[in-house]
Amino acid sequence: MRAPWGPSLALGAAVALWWCSVVLPDPSHRAVGSLYTEAPGHFWGLWGAADSLWATGPFAREIGADHPKGMAMHLMDPVNLLLFWPVFQVLGAGGRAAVLAWNFTHAAWPLIGALGSYLLARRVAGRGPALPWAALVATAATVACPFFLVYHQQGRTEYLPALLYPLHLAFFHRWMRRPEGDAAEEGAPPPWVGVAAGLSLAGVALGGWYLAVFAGLVNGGLALAWWRGLPRREWAWRLGVVVLLGAGPTLPAAMALLATQGEHFLGTSESPDAMMATASDPLLVALHLGSPRAQGMMNSHPYLGLLPLALGACAAWKLRGGRWVWPAGALAVVTFALGPELYLGGLGTALDGLPMPAGLLADLVPPVSKIRTWSRFTAVGATLLGAGAACGVAALWPRLGRKGPLAALALASGVVLDHGTWPERPALVAPYFEPLPPRALDDALATIAPGAVIALPFDTPLELNQRTEEHGLWVIWQLHMRRPVSSGFQGEADRLAKTQFGQEVTTLQTDCVARYRHACTSAQAARGLDTPPLRSAVASTVRSEIGAMWLAGFGGIVVAEQREQGAALREALESVLGPPTFDREHVLAWNLRDLATWESSLPQGIDLVYYNGTVHGEPLMSRDNERR
């Protein structure tokens, strides 16, 4: 075959097309992922980092959210900026450019994984006639593994760099193994191979600290398995080159992570139950014996695929040259993915609670205990299974004869079908979300005073139609607005919602929801029951808090009515504050300068005002006006 990489790249392109097909009708407004996953939060992180890359660097920055206190944010997956940032800059560095760059990043990673799977298959299975088809099966086991087929249920872009791991292992295998078999004529690897192995390992580690730990464990195991192939000194310095080049670029990211989330890593360890975070029977799911007890919980499904594992076992049986490391490594990954303790679905057997390798490692290295979902290890372990499957196809090729390509296609199809139906069946149509702000938002901002924006509805969990909170649409819109906003990341940090003002606004919002529900109940209407009134005391408190909001640096209130409970907020705020300054296309705005009429009676020269609400005993204040 003239293009032996063709079948692998075709499968990678098919996965990329499936991920991105739903955004093709409008790729500058639709973004890959679901609103109710972590995708919007990661989109915001990459957009913000790309927008301020030269000013703050790629790892950590101060963001204009959670005003008036402000927030420091750490970018979990800076390696994705290598794909995101060039597209973002070329296309104009705006909101539409960010959406296009996000979609391009998702389209590129499956192709990178497919190319790496081909190169790894060429290293471990040889360059014979079986190569194109062995690489195809390897790509099916890696790029189309169960973890990535349900990627849209997660939206965690920090795991996309796991698709760089096949390319890294291709370099690492060439660097750490003595050439043998049909590769014996290659001779000693040139130095650039070691550099490529180290830098590609750094790329995987810069996807997130979970991937750094997982890749480090696998690489350590492979290095120990290969140490007999080289003189000890040569083995040591070769491994040292990879470790130094892999760890060097990750140190700034690790320091930024500790600076922003050090309390999380240096605090008490998670309990085994918290580390498990499981909603399934992991051992039975891994063996394809017991079905998951809950859907949408791919974090708890340590399944890699039995068909590639069988091919890897076949390779270990029939071929020499250390092919056993691939299926053995995959099995080791599964044992880690089962969690810190063995769990058999609460059957109460004698094996329940048996310490597993993950738990033993957490005892030895306490920071590792912060890994709550060890089953994500399968994102890296799929590469080992793919390499073993490629070796298995090469081992069976002489017996297949002319039927080899057809058999390989059947095997690859079987792998994809198995992964697409177990342990979960992904949606045939991938979801998307629209992260750009309403068109009327700019006009609304022009009608309010300069300063921060009270962004409503709050980004907090809502108990109507959502399983989880909206992950910070307002903080995404803040990058477009170029103004500080009250909303924080992932809703939990929305401090304004926890202040007296926020609680009273939420109460008014709840009252209006009750009024709507009451009016829609025909039985109550037939009985002539009155619509519940708004609580006047609450309305009075909201009015009195407007002045404090003004002094805390807020210039206005903006309501996005299309957000959930936005219509209820319209009624609540209109009943208290009067008609909005701006009302068009479901965007409302109130100018606090007009509402805070008592401002002129305040003493002049005041440059610091503490907002009278507190959160966790800490006074809210504006950092811009901090008293010297």
Side-chain angles (χ1 to χ4, degrees):
M1 181 179 290
R2 293 185 178 180
W5 39 263
S8 295
L9 289 186
L11 181 55
V15 174
L17 180 62
W18 175 62
W19 280 6
C20 301
S21 59
V22 72
V23 307
L24 292 179
D26 193 0
S28 64
H29 287 86
R30 295 182 177 185
V32 174
S34 171
L35 178 64
Y36 305 123
T37 65
E38 294 186 18
H42 285 287
F43 171 82
W44 163 70
L46 288 172
W47 182 3
D51 192 50
S52 61
L53 184 62
W54 299 119
T56 63
F59 304 122
R61 65 194 185 282
E62 294 286 328
I63 59 176
D66 200 17
H67 185 83
K69 184 172 184 179
M71 293 179 65
M73 184 58 193
H74 168 262
L75 181 64
M76 180 64 71
D77 49 343
V79 70
N80 282 319
L81 287 174
L82 295 177
L83 298 172
F84 187 97
W85 183 81
V87 178
F88 177 75
Q89 290 295 325
V90 168
L91 296 180
R96 293 186 179 183
V99 177
L100 287 167
W102 171 268
N103 292 332
F104 171 79
T105 301
H106 282 81
W109 274 119
L111 294 174
I112 294 173
L115 177 62
S117 296
Y118 165 75
L119 294 176
L120 180 58
R122 190 175 69 171
R123 289 295 315 161
V124 301
R127 304 187 183 186
L131 173 59
W133 311 106
L136 174 64
V137 177
T139 303
T142 304
V143 179
C145 71
F147 186 91
F148 286 116
L149 286 186
V150 294
Y151 166 79
H152 295 99
Q153 296 176 3
Q154 311 163 48
R156 297 185 176 96
T157 55
E158 71 265 34
Y159 291 98
L160 292 178
L163 293 172
L164 182 63
Y165 197 59
L167 183 62
H168 163 69
L169 281 191
F171 291 128
F172 191 58
H173 183 273
R174 175 78 172 93
W175 182 246
M176 296 299 298
R177 292 279 291 169
R178 185 187 300 277
E180 57 188 1
D182 58 1
E185 69 278 3
E186 291 179 343
W192 70 264
V193 175
V195 173
L199 294 181
S200 58
L201 178 61
V204 175
L206 286 173
W209 76 275
Y210 270 38
L211 283 187
V213 172
F214 297 155
L217 290 174
V218 173
N219 276 39
L222 291 176
L224 290 175
W226 292 338
W227 76 276
R228 292 184 179 179
L230 294 171
R232 292 187 179 181
R233 289 187 178 180
E234 183 177 357
W235 175 87
W237 76 258
R238 285 181 183 273
L239 181 61
V241 167
V242 176
V243 171
L244 290 176
L245 291 176
T250 63
L251 287 179
M255 294 175 64
L257 179 64
L258 291 175
T260 56
Q261 302 182 31
E263 294 181 358
H264 171 75
F265 289 95
L266 301 179
T268 57
S269 300
E270 302 282 356
S271 66
D273 290 339
M275 293 169 65
M276 286 286 287
T278 185
S280 63
D281 302 335
L283 180 60
L284 299 181
V285 171
L287 297 177
H288 210 307
L289 296 177
S291 60
R293 293 186 293 149
Q295 296 296 307
M297 294 292 295
M298 190 58 209
N299 286 338
S300 305
H301 300 161
Y303 183 66
L304 280 176
L306 295 183
L307 185 56
L309 185 61
L311 289 172
C314 176
W317 179 263
K318 290 183 171 293
L319 299 179
R320 297 181 179 180
R323 266 80 170 192
W324 60 270
V325 299
W326 307 116
L331 288 175
V333 167
V334 171
T335 61
F336 272 94
L338 292 176
E341 294 181 358
L342 186 62
Y343 177 74
L344 294 176
L347 298 179
T349 65
L351 296 178
D352 269 351
L354 181 70
M356 299 296 286
L360 298 176
L361 180 64
D363 291 338
L364 294 175
V365 186
V368 174
S369 65
K370 300 301 179 180
I371 297 179
R372 295 180 299 171
T373 45
W374 279 92
S375 56
R376 300 178 191 176
F377 207 158
T378 56
V380 170
T383 298
L384 303 177
L385 210 57
C391 294
V393 172
L396 295 174
W397 195 258
R399 293 191 176 186
L400 296 175
R402 295 182 179 180
K403 298 180 180 179
L406 184 61
L409 284 173
L411 285 172
S413 300
V415 170
V416 174
L417 181 63
D418 177 40
H419 294 176
T421 57
W422 183 270
E424 294 190 25
R425 189 185 302 273
L428 294 178
V429 178
Y432 71 91
F433 66 101
E434 297 183 357
L436 298 185
R439 291 178 298 178
L441 182 60
D442 289 337
D443 294 336
L445 294 174
T447 66
I448 64 176
V453 175
I454 299 176
L456 299 174
F458 293 122
D459 278 332
T460 50
L462 304 177
E463 299 178 355
L464 292 180
N465 301 324
Q466 303 172 189
R467 287 191 308 163
T468 58
E469 70 270 14
E470 295 179 358
H471 277 67
L473 276 181
W474 273 112
V475 295
I476 295 176
W477 296 351
Q478 184 273 331
L479 296 172
H480 170 83
M481 296 158 52
R482 305 289 180 176
R483 287 192 182 201
V485 295
S486 58
S487 293
F489 178 57
Q490 292 187 346
E492 296 177 352
D494 199 330
R495 296 174 183 269
L496 190 62
K498 303 172 185 178
T499 64
Q500 185 175 1
F501 173 81
Q503 291 171 357
E504 303 298 353
V505 169
T506 302
T507 300
L508 287 177
Q509 177 178 316
T510 303
D511 287 352
C512 289
V513 171
R515 287 160 62 87
Y516 277 126
R517 290 175 175 171
H518 182 94
C520 294
T521 305
S522 58
Q524 290 179 330
R527 293 198 300 269
L529 297 179
D530 296 330
T531 303
L534 294 173
R535 281 171 266 189
S536 57
V538 172
S540 176
T541 302
V542 170
R543 284 192 292 267
S544 67
E545 291 290 314
I546 290 297
M549 293 294 99
W550 172 258
L551 291 175
F554 290 101
I557 300 173
V558 177
V559 176
E561 195 176 7
Q562 78 271 28
R563 298 279 303 276
E564 193 163 0
Q565 295 193 356
L569 272 171
R570 167 193 278 274
E571 180 182 350
L573 293 178
E574 284 184 341
S575 66
V576 175
L577 305 179
T581 307
F582 179 90
D583 184 357
R584 194 175 77 233
E585 298 180 16
H586 303 290
V587 177
L588 315 175
W590 282 265
N591 189 350
L592 292 192
R593 186 194 298 271
D594 299 335
L595 297 174
T597 56
W598 45 265
E599 178 193 5
S600 59
S601 63
L602 291 175
Q604 299 298 315
I606 295 179
D607 62 356
L608 170 67
V609 175
Y610 282 89
Y611 175 56
N612 61 355
T614 59
V615 177
H616 303 304
E618 181 178 356
L620 290 177
M621 53 177 272
S622 174
R623 285 186 172 183
D624 297 335
N625 297 323
E626 187 174 357
R627 185 189 297 273
R628 294 182 175 86

